[in-house]
């Protein structure tokens, strides 16, 4: 499934707000998990942003635990 940059950015914003929760992101953006993972394969910049958000989320959670 092809996606516009605007659509991908909206998904990334939701992903960040959901603390890297793929299920919540997909539900909010009305896409399947399969679509999300296909976009990771199809759009290198999108995959890099997803990874950055995951790392930022880990840092945030670790900081709260300490």
């Amino acid at each position: 499934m092809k996606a516009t940059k605007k659509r991908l950015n909206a998904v990334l914003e939701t992903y960040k707000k959901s603390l890297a929760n793929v299920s919540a992101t997909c539900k909010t953006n009305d896409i399947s998990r399969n679509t999300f993972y296909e976009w990771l394969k199809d759009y290198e910049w999108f995959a890099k942003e997803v990874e950055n958000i995951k790392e930022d989320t880990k840092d945030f959670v670790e900081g709260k635990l300490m």
Side-chain angles (χ1 to χ4, degrees), residues 1-5 7-8 31 35 38-39 42-43:
M1 178 179 179
K2 291 286 184 187
T4 64
K5 189 159 185 158
R7 175 92 162 135
L8 292 169
I31 61 172
T35 296
E38 285 295 319
W39 289 349
D42 293 344
Y43 302 98

Side-chain angles (χ1 to χ4, degrees), residues 10-61:
V11 170
L12 288 171
E13 187 63 30
T14 305
Y15 187 66
K16 185 175 184 176
K17 287 179 181 176
S18 74
L19 299 177
N21 182 311
V22 174
S23 293
T25 298
C26 292
K27 185 175 181 178
T28 300
N29 288 280
D30 197 30
I31 61 172
S32 69
R33 289 175 63 89
N34 188 51
T35 296
F36 183 89
Y37 290 113
E38 285 295 319
W39 289 349
L40 288 176
K41 288 188 257 178
D42 293 344
Y43 302 98
E44 184 178 341
W45 70 269
F46 179 78
K48 285 180 182 178
E49 285 301 313
V50 165
E51 191 59 36
N52 288 339
I53 292 168
K54 274 197 269 189
E55 289 302 316
D56 289 347
T57 300
K58 285 179 193 175
D59 291 344
F60 173 77
V61 171

